[in-house]
Amino acid sequence: MDRPVVVVSNRGPLSFRRDGDGILVARRGAGGLVSGLGPLVAGTDALWVAAAMSDGDREAAAAGVVDAEDFRVRLLSVDAETYRLAYDVVSNQVLWFVYHGLYDLPRAPAFGPELREAWHAYREVNAAFADVVAETAPPGAAVLVQDYHLGLLSLGLAERRPDLAAVHFSHTPFATPTWLRVLPEHIAGEVVSGLAAHRACGFHTRGWADDFLACAREVLALTPRTFVSPLPTDADDVRRAATSPACDAALAEIEAEVGDRLVVARVDRIELSKNLLRGFQSFDELLDRRPEWRERVVFVASVYPSRGGVPAYVEYQAEVDALVARVNERWATPGWTPIVYDTSDDYPRSVAVLRRADVLLVNPIRDGLNLVAKEGGLVNERDAVLCLSREAGVWDEVGEAAVEVPPFDIAGTADVLDLALRMPAEERKARAELLRTLAAARRPADWLADQLAAAD
Ligand code: F6P
């Protein structure tokens, strides 16, 4: 059945701000979800419903459905404190931590009454989204709900709009049953039943879907319908970015910084699940144990701040900044900076880093997908070796082209970096070719087709 499409996500494809002349202008939004879904939705009739996250967004929300930059967007403005509790507290401090297994359990979490208030806000935000979807979705639409921010949305739709087919897709892992038990029981129950209320729940890998099914069996004694559909990279889009003048200029700048040295690279949000600290500790260990790499390798990290409203993220970034400074202080020589650390959120530069890499480090603790592993494979120009953690969702798709990184083992990761830096040209070439093939095997339209199939 050809259903009209409504995409619903917390972060939308556009963000709005007033320019110098006081005119409200739209800009393409940031983040993996938008770069993955954006090209699929742009230029179509699909409506994209998302939260207003800034003052400019809130002004745009008042205008109803806005057509801009190839998108039809309806932003939803909720009271700022209610939104903060739902996004910063429930979504990013609680659900995110439980789904990625990030709590340091002897110390955290220690839920108090504030979680009850925040959970109430989360319900309210989900209900407000359900209202907007119920009011604006065309008859019979497939409502493609994205991510953990909106897990309860479909509960508010079922009675009012039985013609709609809601599908949920998680861009994160799901909690294991053990981790789900960290949540207060009623919250765990609502989370699982909220997801199970969709026609189907999609995940990037079988492993995350199985974790969800195990939780659903434990909490609901039910087996909801699931499907597995890793988000593809839009190969044309990322190659276009890689051949842009802005990317060429950024690459020239990087070349001037690193010269003819080998480059270990990473491109990430500054995010606890990405495991930045152990990545830099491993590089420090490599320089310590393998003096021959000193002055011959540069770690180029293009990492950008994220979720500044969450104290754990602010603290994490401070720790990463301090560690990078310590490693550089320990090893730098005149003319060689071991870690070139850029936090400017500069997309052309990030793509240039992927082009220039000799080794790409993707070592998450646990991560939904890690699109960057595929993007790196598609734009790299030096047969870079992908050093990949099995805990990245993308492992199932491209693991056979990668060298496995043990995410919690600093000495082991240093060994993997050493091996990757020494890998003979022929093996690098074979792996890079395989990675290019695997990374382009699925097209964005395949992902959309999977969502629509799951709606029926
Ligand atoms: O990986 C899950 C995810 O929600 C992505 O979909 C998104 O791009 C990313 O996290 C960034 O999150 P935020 O919108 O909170 O910056």
Side-chain angles (χ1 to χ4, degrees), residues 14 28 58 101 137 188 194 224 232 311 341 371 428 445:
L14 302 177
R28 280 285 278 268
R58 278 184 268 278
Y341 181 63
L371 211 47
R428 298 172 65 92

Side-chain angles (χ1 to χ4, degrees), residues 210-258:
D210 286 347
D211 286 337
F212 169 62
L213 287 171
C215 289
R217 276 193 290 272
E218 183 169 306
V219 174
L220 304 176
L222 281 179
T223 304
R225 192 169 152 224
T226 60
F227 64 103
V228 174
S229 177
L231 189 65
T233 317
D234 188 326
D236 296 336
D237 205 50
V238 68
R239 285 194 182 119
R240 235 187 331 271
T243 49
S244 68
C247 188
D248 285 342
L251 183 60
E253 241 174 59
I254 295 166
E255 296 288 7
E257 282 163 340
V258 302

Side-chain angles (χ1 to χ4, degrees), residues 35-36 39 230-239 369-376 378-379 394 397 438-445:
S35 72
L231 189 65
T233 317
D234 188 326
D236 296 336
D237 205 50
V238 68
R239 285 194 182 119
L369 187 68
N370 267 128
L371 211 47
V372 72
K374 295 199 258 188
E375 291 166 344
L378 289 170
V379 302
V394 76
E397 279 182 280
L438 296 172
R442 272 168 57 85
R443 308 185 65 79

